[in-house]
Amino acid sequence: MASNPKSKIQNPKSVSPYSALAAGYDVVMEHVDYAFWADYAHRLLTQHHPGVRTVLELGCGTGSLALELQPLSDYRYAATDAVPEMIRVARAKAELQNAPIQFAVADFTDFRTDPPVDALVLLYDGMNYLLEAAAVLDLFRCAFDALTPGGLFLFDQSTPTNSINNEPYFEDVNETEGFAYRRLSRYDRERRRHVTAFELTVEGETYREEHVQRAYTFAEIQALLRQTDFEALAAYHNFSMRPATEASERIHWVLRLPAG
Ligand SMILES: C[S@@+](CC[C@H](N)C(=O)[O-])C[C@H]1O[C@@H](n2cnc3c(N)ncnc32)[C@H](O)[C@@H]1O
């Protein structure tokens, strides 16, 4: 029987975030222009460190950004994500394109690089999955230890402004061959928690995933960065080269490991 994403799925199996979604993540993200995201990331990297050769992407998902960003400067590129199912999809895509990207499973609050890399990249809400400030500090600590002197950590944050401005778009459904989803999001303004429930049908099996993100304010991330030895070179507003403010929906941070 054909699944209908508009009707509520009965008794779906609860699974951890992205473990079932991995199969159809690229369908859910088909509105995202990864080539544009990659151009912007490349611009920020080259502007602040023209010598970047080695890149490690964190929270890479199914590798869509990696596949666009790696060729822009023939970077030596590795990419990691905490969820094995996401990495499996990323590897399959890279293999199809013969892309020279190494994928591995790793948690970005607990990783090492050997040797260190010139740049770390973590885009599209990855850090928003860290619900406690202590975990963000763990990420910063690992990032600090993973870079060459003068190396960059480029990451983005989705803000409370983003969650509030996009509240009308908080429900959507879609269906393709072998995959269907219904996504329902809600934003708790007081606690600044953004919760998304996915009901998924993957090859006839039904699943439920709950994703919880924290909408950090600009000031919160500024305060956490003051507890590190990173130099915060820039924080950009909504994919522009203008400075971020609390009114930004997405902020791209460029941090530098001091050279000396
Ligand atoms: C919204 S997705 C973005 C994926 C990818 N960057 C993209 O642009 O499509 C967030 C990703 O962060 C990953 N993630 C969340 N917490 C993580 C952690 N502690 N360590 C590594 N990856 C994590 C998830 O598995 C997921 O793939």
Side-chain angles (χ1 to χ4, degrees), residues 17-18 25-26 29 32 34 37 57-65 80-83 86 106-109 122-127 129-130 211 213:
Y18 293 102
Y25 180 76
D26 290 351
M29 300 298 272
V32 177
Y34 281 104
W37 283 63
E57 186 182 340
L58 310 171
C60 68
T62 56
S64 300
L65 178 76
T80 59
D81 196 278
V83 177
M86 296 292 267
D107 185 322
F108 53 57
T109 62
L122 169 56
L123 297 184
Y124 215 124
D125 294 7
M127 66 83 51
Y129 277 82
L130 301 175
H211 296 212
Q213 292 178 248

Side-chain angles (χ1 to χ4, degrees), residues 97-258:
Q97 297 186 29
N98 218 2
I101 301 170
Q102 299 292 320
F103 288 98
V105 176
D107 185 322
F108 53 57
T109 62
D110 184 15
F111 72 97
R112 282 165 187 273
T113 52
D114 186 17
V117 292
D118 302 326
L120 294 165
V121 173
L122 169 56
L123 297 184
Y124 215 124
D125 294 7
M127 66 83 51
N128 293 93
Y129 277 82
L130 301 175
L131 302 183
E132 304 302 329
V136 179
L137 289 173
D138 287 339
L139 163 66
F140 289 159
R141 220 169 286 125
C142 288
F144 195 88
D145 292 341
L147 288 167
T148 52
L152 302 181
F153 180 22
L154 167 63
F155 72 94
D156 70 3
Q157 67 170 111
S158 173
T159 66
T161 305
N162 197 13
S163 291
I164 291 165
N165 288 354
N166 290 296
E167 265 176 346
Y169 307 107
F170 275 12
E171 183 173 7
D172 79 303
V173 292
N174 200 353
E175 184 168 9
T176 60
E177 210 187 318
F179 178 76
Y181 74 90
R182 174 174 183 264
R183 170 170 53 177
L184 197 59
S185 295
R186 61 178 194 278
Y187 180 59
D188 178 337
R189 291 185 185 211
E190 217 161 279
R191 297 179 60 237
R192 297 205 301 279
R193 294 293 191 275
H194 195 123
V195 180
T196 304
F198 281 96
E199 290 176 351
L200 305 162
T201 305
V202 183
E203 304 296 344
E205 297 292 323
T206 59
Y207 303 92
R208 185 177 195 284
E209 291 186 8
E210 185 172 89
H211 296 212
V212 185
Q213 292 178 248
R214 175 169 167 179
Y216 287 93
T217 63
F218 184 33
E220 279 177 314
I221 298 299
Q222 282 173 314
L224 289 172
L225 284 171
R226 281 195 288 274
Q227 298 181 47
T228 75
D229 290 322
F230 271 120
E231 295 172 55
L233 297 183
Y236 294 110
H237 167 86
N238 293 356
F239 294 98
S240 73
M241 301 306 284
R242 284 181 286 129
T245 69
E246 293 292 359
S248 305
E249 292 189 352
R250 186 169 297 280
I251 298 172
H252 284 80
W253 285 91
V254 184
L255 312 182
R256 180 166 62 194
L257 187 79

